[in-house]
Amino acid sequence: MSTAEQWTVDSVRAALGAKKVSARELTTEYYARIEKQNPELNAFLALCPERAYAQAERIDGKIARGEPLPPLAGVPMAIKDVISTRGVTTTCGSRILENYIPPYDAWAVECLERAGAVLLGKTNCDEFAMGSSNENSAYGPVRNPVARDRVPGGSSGGSAAAVAAGLAVAALGTDTGGSIRQPGALCGVPGMMPTYGRVSRYGLIAFASSLDRIGPLATSVRDAAAVLGVIAGRDPNDSTAAAVSVPDYLAGLQQPVKGLRIGIPKEYFAEGMDPAVRQKVEAGVELLKCLGCQPVELRMPHTDYAIATYYVIATAEASSNLARYDGVRYGLRIAGSTLLEMYKKTRGRGFGSEVKRRIMLGTYALSAGYYDAYYLKAQRVRTLIARDFGEAFGHVDAIITPTSPVPAFRLGERTAEPLQMYLADIYTVTGSLAGVPGISVPCGKTPAGLPVGLQILGPRFGEASVLQIAQAFEEAGGYTI
Amino acid sequence: MKITREDVLHVAELAHLELTESEVETYRRQLDSILTYVEKLNELDTVQVEPMAQVLASADPAENISLREDVPRVCEVTREVLSGAPDPSPPYFRVPKVIER
C-alpha cells in the first residue's frame, strides 16, 4: 500500500487502476487517519463506515471486473453536516437536530456516490452554518490543523480542516456569505462557491435560501474542479438549479490566462486589512500580472454596504427557514403544558446563542412597521451591489480580492462582539449577494505561518474561467508565494 | 437606534423563543448595536431601485427558474419520517392538547 501523504483524485485513480491500492484499503487508511487526528481537531461529527466500505467494495468490484471507473472512483470525501445523508445523522451542528436522521440524500450527495466517491462521514460546522469561526457548533469548535490554537474559519470549518489535515481528499461545504471560501483561506486549501443555481440545493438544510450554495473544498484547484463537475447541473427537485449546460471544467483548466482582464477593486484594498494579508495578496496580484493577466482598476462603490445588506437579508430568510424547528416532527422536544410553551422551550433551549441572535434580528427586520425600513431596503441595496458586479464584468473577466481581512485568529478571541465577527465577512458577502461564483486559493503564509487566501470572482456561470485563473496561479507557485 | 427590553420580548414572542433573563439583556444590547450599524443603508437613495429577492431573474431564459412537470409520485416515507419524531403516534405526530374546553 502506498504511503503517499496527500492523495488526489488523479493519484487515487492511477493507484486503483494499477492495483497498487484497493478502494477498501484507501478507506481504511483514511479512517485510521481520522481516528488518530479527529479527537484533537474535532473536524468530524459522525462517521459512516458501513456506507463507505459498501461503496469501496462496489468500486473494487468494478476494478476486478475491468469495468470503466466513474470520475471520483474510490475518492474518500467528507460532507458538511448541513447536507442531508440518508440514514446518517445530520445535526447542522445544533442540539435541536442532535438525533436527526434524514430519510433521503441531498442531490449533491447522490451525485458524488454515483461518481464513485467514498463518503467517510459528516463534518463539524457552525450551527446551521451561521458563523465565521466554527465556534458556534453545539459540538465544540474545530481546531485549525495549521495552527491548533486557532479557528479553522467557518462555517464549513470541519470540511476545510478535514481536507487540510489529510482526513479526506475533498469535502463538500456550503457557502451563504463566505462559509466555503473563508475557512478555505484560513486552513490553506482551495474552496469554491459556485454560481447560485449551479448546484442543486435539494437536501441542503436551509439557512438563507436566496444565498445558500453547495461547493467543494480540496487540496488542489484540479480536484475542486473535478468535484464541481460531478455535482453541477439541473435537478428536477430544485427549481433554482439552472438549466445551464455544465462545461468540462477539467478540460478548461489548461487554457492560457494571458490577456485575461483581472479587475482590482479599490474598495477591497482599502483600510482594515491585516498588513501581512495585504502583502501576500498584493504579491498574488503581481504574480497574476506576470502570467500575462491585464490588471484593470475597478470601483465597486456599494461594497461598504454589503455587510449591513447581507445581515438583514440572511437573518430574515433564516428566521423564516428555522421556524420549522418546533419539536413536533423531528429533533429535540422540550415538554410544555401547551403547544406554544412546547415550541418556545424547545427553540429556546435547542438553538445556540448565535442562531437565536440571528432569528431575533431577522424576525425584527420582517416585523410589522420595520419590513420596509430593513428588509425591503436591504433588497434594494442588494440590487445596487449586484449592479456593481454586472458593470465590472462588462470590463473584466475576473475580479481579484483578498478572501478574509485577517488570518486565522485564536479560539475565543473574537466571540464577545458579534458585530466585529460579522464585519470580517466584508470580502465574501458581496459575491454571495450578487450570485456570482468565487474561489479562494492559498496565497502564501503570514510571517507567523498562517495561511492567506486570494479570492477570484467570476461572472454568473463563469466557473470555468475562475478555475482556469486559479489553476494558473497554483501552477505558478502562488500557494507558497 | 434604541432597542428596548420590550422590543426584545415582543420579537422573542413572534419568533417563539423562550429567553432567559440574561439573554434578554444581551440580545437587547447586541441587536441595538447591529441595527445601529445597519442604519448606514439609509445613506443610499433607493427610491428608484427595484428590490432583489433572488438572483435568478436574468435576460437569459435558460438561467431562469426551471419547473418540472407536476406529476404525482408515490412517496412512502411515513414510517421513516415518523421514526425520527419526538412523539409519534402513527400515522400522526402527537402534540400537547391545543383545544381547550
Side-chain angles (χ1 to χ4, degrees):
Chain A
M1 176 160 189
S2 168
T3 51
E5 189 50 36
Q6 188 57 66
W7 289 91
T8 65
V9 172
D10 287 340
S11 70
V12 166
R13 188 177 195 81
L16 290 176
K19 302 205 162 92
K20 286 189 180 146
V21 69
S22 69
R24 164 167 269 280
E25 285 168 329
L26 202 56
T27 306
T28 305
E29 178 185 332
Y30 273 83
Y31 276 130
R33 293 182 184 190
I34 292 168
E35 195 180 338
K36 192 163 162 232
Q37 292 210 49
N38 200 54
E40 189 191 354
L41 293 178
N42 199 26
F44 281 89
L45 293 177
L47 300 175
C48 46
E50 270 182 39
R51 184 167 174 163
Y53 282 112
Q55 173 81 344
E57 299 292 337
R58 275 192 289 275
I59 300 299
D60 287 334
K62 279 182 191 292
I63 295 167
R65 294 189 298 274
E67 292 173 18
L69 292 181
L72 299 177
V75 175
M77 286 192 64
I79 308 291
K80 185 180 183 181
D81 209 24
V82 294
I83 299 173
S84 301
T85 41
R86 182 173 186 166
V88 181
T89 52
T90 300
T91 67
C92 294
S94 181
R95 285 285 167 222
I96 213 160
L97 287 177
E98 187 158 11
N99 301 308
Y100 175 61
I101 298 175
Y104 68 106
D105 278 324
W107 175 260
V109 166
E110 248 182 68
C111 290
L112 290 179
E113 283 194 328
R114 222 181 301 130
V118 173
L119 307 185
L120 300 167
K122 307 299 292 289
T123 49
N124 202 346
C125 55
D126 285 298
E127 186 176 2
F128 287 102
M130 297 181 191
S132 316
S133 70
N134 218 118
E135 292 168 293
N136 298 329
S137 168
Y139 305 101
V142 175
R143 288 178 181 273
N144 189 321
V146 181
R148 302 200 171 201
D149 58 336
R150 291 173 188 265
V151 303
S155 66
S156 309
S159 290
V163 169
L167 308 185
V169 169
L172 290 187
T174 64
D175 195 313
T176 303
S179 282
I180 290 175
R181 293 162 288 160
Q182 186 257 17
L186 270 50
C187 290
V189 295
M192 173 114 198
M193 169 183 73
T195 306
Y196 184 85
R198 179 74 294 181
V199 177
S200 166
R201 290 177 294 113
Y202 181 69
L204 163 57
I205 296 178
F207 157 17
S209 307
S210 81
L211 298 159
D212 293 343
R213 306 185 214 170
I214 295 177
L217 291 122
T219 56
S220 66
V221 170
R222 189 172 175 78
D223 281 2
V227 173
L228 180 63
V230 162
I231 61 176
R234 188 164 179 258
D235 168 14
N237 294 312
D238 176 4
S239 66
T240 63
V244 176
S245 65
V246 181
D248 184 340
Y249 295 122
L250 289 172
L253 287 180
Q254 299 303 331
Q255 297 289 318
V257 297
K258 193 168 184 338
L260 290 181
R261 295 157 304 167
I262 51 168
I264 315 297
K266 231 180 155 77
E267 291 79 5
Y268 288 70
F269 290 84
E271 278 160 42
M273 203 190 322
D274 181 292
V277 172
R278 177 187 296 277
Q279 198 247 321
K280 288 296 166 186
V281 173
E282 286 178 352
V285 171
E286 287 305 314
L287 178 62
L288 289 172
K289 287 188 205 167
C290 290
L291 292 170
C293 294
Q294 280 176 31
V296 178
E297 195 170 283
L298 286 180
R299 298 307 303 259
M300 301 185 78
H302 300 98
T303 304
D304 195 33
Y305 300 95
I307 291 285
T309 304
Y310 173 82
Y311 276 94
V312 171
I313 290 173
T315 60
E317 293 186 18
S319 74
S320 167
N321 274 325
L322 271 62
R324 73 192 67 182
Y325 306 104
D326 56 9
V328 174
R329 289 157 298 167
Y330 32 65
L332 180 78
R333 174 185 292 191
I334 306 284
S337 55
T338 65
L339 186 63
L340 191 60
E341 196 185 301
M342 182 194 89
Y343 290 162
K344 288 183 183 169
K345 284 188 189 299
T346 300
R347 293 165 59 78
R349 293 183 209 173
F351 290 133
S353 65
E354 179 63 28
V355 171
K356 283 189 275 190
R357 181 157 40 248
R358 295 201 194 189
I359 291 175
M360 297 279 290
L361 188 57
T363 304
Y364 183 86
L366 291 175
S367 65
Y370 297 102
Y371 180 92
D372 286 7
Y374 291 100
Y375 185 61
L376 201 60
K377 180 79 188 183
Q379 284 190 320
R380 292 185 199 278
V381 180
R382 185 177 185 181
T383 300
L384 297 174
I385 291 165
R387 270 187 208 160
D388 280 357
F389 277 89
E391 279 162 31
F393 287 123
H395 305 288
V396 300
D397 300 295
I399 296 172
I400 310 297
T401 80
T403 306
S404 164
V406 290
F409 42 93
R410 285 193 176 76
L411 286 156
E413 188 180 313
R414 290 174 167 240
T415 43
E417 269 316 313
L419 181 58
Q420 293 312 311
M421 190 81 96
Y422 299 169
L423 292 174
D425 297 340
I426 178 62
Y427 304 136
T428 49
V429 292
T430 48
S432 300
L433 290 164
V436 302
I439 193 170
S440 175
V441 286
C443 181
K445 289 182 173 177
T446 67
L450 302 172
V452 172
L454 178 91
Q455 179 175 235
I456 305 166
L457 297 160
R460 291 174 47 69
F461 297 100
E463 282 83 0
S465 53
V466 169
L467 288 163
Q468 178 192 343
I469 295 170
Q471 173 74 17
F473 184 80
E474 178 183 314
E475 280 178 17
Y479 287 15
T480 51
I481 201 164
Chain B
M1 199 67 223
K2 262 286 154 272
I3 296 289
T4 65
R5 182 187 152 80
E6 284 63 40
D7 292 330
V8 172
L9 294 174
H10 174 62
V11 171
E13 185 69 27
L14 290 175
H16 290 170
L17 285 171
E18 184 181 87
L19 300 182
T20 64
E21 205 38 57
S22 77
E23 281 177 322
V24 172
E25 176 46 31
T26 306
Y27 287 144
R28 193 204 60 72
R29 189 172 53 75
Q30 291 173 340
L31 292 186
D32 195 73
S33 118
I34 296 164
L35 289 165
T36 302
Y37 175 77
V38 166
E39 283 186 349
K40 76 185 281 148
L41 296 182
N42 295 327
E43 294 167 12
L44 296 171
D45 179 0
T46 54
V47 180
Q48 305 294 328
V49 182
E50 283 297 309
M52 180 172 170
Q54 48 101 357
V55 294
L56 286 169
S58 149
D60 177 3
E63 270 193 35
N64 284 315
I65 289 186
S66 50
L67 297 176
R68 66 169 186 268
E69 288 300 308
D70 186 11
V71 183
R73 287 176 297 174
V74 179
C75 183
E76 285 171 350
V77 293
T78 319
R79 207 154 55 100
E80 235 173 327
V81 167
L82 282 170
S83 72
D87 187 10
S89 175
Y92 304 111
F93 302 105
R94 188 161 35 210
V95 295
K97 197 168 72 173
V98 183
I99 301 160
E100 305 280 337
R101 268 196 177 272

